[in-house]
Amino acid sequence: MKLPKIFLPFVLLMVITALLRLYQLHAIPEGFHSDEAAFGYNAYSLLKTGRDEYGKRFPLVLTSFGDDKGALYSYATIPFVALLGLNETAVRLPTALGGILFVIIIYLLAFELTKNTKTSFLVSSVASLSPVGIVLSRVQSDPLLCVVMLTASIYWFVKWVRTRHIVDYS
């Protein structure tokens, strides 16, 4: 079996993507902001008790520091807190993995739209090396997870449209 020409460059791109998002995740950027702490604490509380910091059972919205936040990020953080403990890495890891997954999904979407591996590689390279993407992948960022889910949804929709079979019921 012969591998496509793009395979090795894409693997190298993914290694670079992972390094940019995972290296010293607990320390870079410096500091741990209050939203990260709130999501982490709520993930820990949900893991241990099934309740948020205010005692609400499996909430969809978290109230913390005087504002409301969607609970999705805390739920996504639970497995990492269970494995690594309640720390900066565990809280930031869902976003970092989402940033890596985004590069893969954007490659697939670009390929589905263009059927061109070079264009798809270029698009995924820009996504991988984008300073905004790197920074948002290194802090708790529930909007980034939403972008990953939206991009995946667009990819699957385009794929469905291209492969659906029209049935004539007449």
Side-chain angles (χ1 to χ4, degrees), residues 21-160:
R21 284 154 179 78
L22 297 173
Y23 176 73
Q24 293 285 312
L25 186 61
H26 67 284
I28 303 171
E30 194 172 314
F32 196 59
H33 65 75
S34 59
D35 280 344
E36 288 179 305
F39 279 112
Y41 179 72
N42 277 297
Y44 180 80
S45 181
L46 287 164
L47 171 69
K48 296 296 183 182
T49 67
R51 298 177 186 278
D52 71 357
E53 64 185 286
Y54 290 101
K56 289 173 64 180
R57 193 155 174 69
F58 298 110
L60 295 176
V61 176
L62 299 172
T63 301
S64 184
F65 297 111
D67 67 347
D68 293 333
K69 314 165 182 31
L72 175 66
Y73 196 88
S74 282
Y75 289 113
T77 306
I78 289 172
F80 303 104
V81 169
L83 288 171
L84 304 172
L86 183 56
N87 57 51
E88 291 92 341
T89 301
V91 173
R92 292 176 174 174
L93 202 51
T95 305
L97 295 177
I100 295 167
L101 185 59
F102 177 74
V103 174
I104 296 168
I105 294 168
I106 206 73
Y107 176 88
L108 294 172
L109 178 60
F111 185 77
E112 188 64 34
L113 293 172
T114 66
K115 301 299 184 195
N116 184 308
T117 56
K118 289 180 183 177
T119 301
S120 303
F121 183 76
L122 179 63
V123 169
S124 61
S125 296
V126 169
S128 171
L129 301 174
S130 164
V132 171
I134 294 168
V135 169
L136 286 179
S137 293
R138 297 192 59 85
V139 295
Q140 169 278 319
S141 176
D142 45 335
L144 180 72
L145 291 185
C146 293
V147 168
V148 172
M149 290 186 291
L150 177 64
T151 307
S153 299
I154 292 168
Y155 167 71
W156 285 112
F157 178 73
V158 169
K159 195 148 183 77
W160 174 79

